[in-house]
Amino acid sequence: MPKVLHFVAHILYVMEFLQACQNGDEAKVTELLANEGLDFNQVDDNGKTGFYLACEAGHLPIVQILLKNARDKKIFVNLPDSQGKTPLHKVCEQQNEELLALIINKNSVDRLGIDRNRKDQNGKTALEYLVTSSSDLDMILNKNSHCNCHCCIS
């Protein structure tokens, strides 16, 4: 295949992957993950990766699939968008508790290096988007007091 056609095909696969992540298309994401030559860290016009788009859209099954494949497929889970927000920032901003629990569990933090302390362009960490008052912080601390993974609150 000529280089130009190969490049165009790659771009089309990337666009298809980003759209599948954003739309929650599990079958398509799984199919595209089988493509060895695809860079799963390509971004859309706003600097968002497929992982970011799945987190933003709240697609728990897609996020699970991507986290499971992150090491083998070299999916970088801390890549920020054009505003410096990581997928974790977005999940906290949206207060999506299911995704938050999945992303900050000990396995994800240790195995994939989820960075809970990274600041966006506004100088805020993800936790700062989750907590808007000291009473919110007390609630989070009490809710996660059963957790022994030392990653729920840093």
Side-chain angles (χ1 to χ4, degrees):
M1 178 184 300
K3 285 185 179 185
V4 171
L5 289 179
H6 181 72
F7 176 75
V8 170
H10 180 78
I11 295 299
L12 291 174
Y13 279 127
V14 167
M15 290 171 46
E16 196 172 3
F17 176 72
L18 293 172
Q19 185 176 28
C21 289
Q22 186 171 26
N23 295 336
D25 188 339
E26 294 175 54
K28 183 55 76 175
V29 168
T30 302
E31 174 189 324
L32 291 168
L33 282 170
N35 186 333
E36 293 298 322
L38 195 57
D39 179 358
F40 298 103
N41 297 305
Q42 292 290 318
V43 297
D44 68 6
D45 293 339
N46 297 309
K48 298 175 182 179
T49 64
F51 181 71
Y52 189 111
L53 292 167
C55 287
E56 181 178 51
H59 295 305
L60 184 66
I62 301 296
V63 173
Q64 289 172 319
I65 291 167
L66 296 176
L67 285 173
K68 179 181 172 190
N69 288 279
R71 284 186 83 180
D72 292 340
K73 299 297 180 178
K74 297 178 177 56
I75 299 171
F76 302 126
V77 294
N78 291 313
L79 289 178
D81 66 6
S82 58
Q83 297 177 350
K85 291 181 182 174
T86 66
L88 181 57
H89 279 99
K90 186 51 75 173
V91 167
C92 287
E93 187 177 57
Q94 295 175 338
Q95 299 187 7
N96 187 322
E97 291 182 20
E98 279 187 301
L99 281 179
L100 180 61
L102 177 66
I103 291 173
I104 65 168
N105 77 47
K106 184 166 177 45
N107 187 39
S108 294
V109 171
D110 290 348
R111 192 171 67 89
L112 303 175
I114 299 286
D115 185 356
R116 299 169 314 221
N117 299 313
R118 185 178 185 137
K119 294 184 178 185
D120 65 8
Q121 289 178 351
N122 296 319
K124 289 184 169 185
T125 65
L127 183 60
E128 290 176 279
Y129 282 100
L130 186 63
V131 178
T132 56
S133 71
S134 60
S135 62
D136 288 342
L137 180 58
D138 288 340
M139 180 189 71
I140 292 166
L141 289 171
N142 290 330
K143 185 174 185 175
N144 291 313
S145 62
H146 67 280
C147 180
N148 62 2
C149 71
H150 307 294
C151 67
C152 291
I153 304 293
S154 56

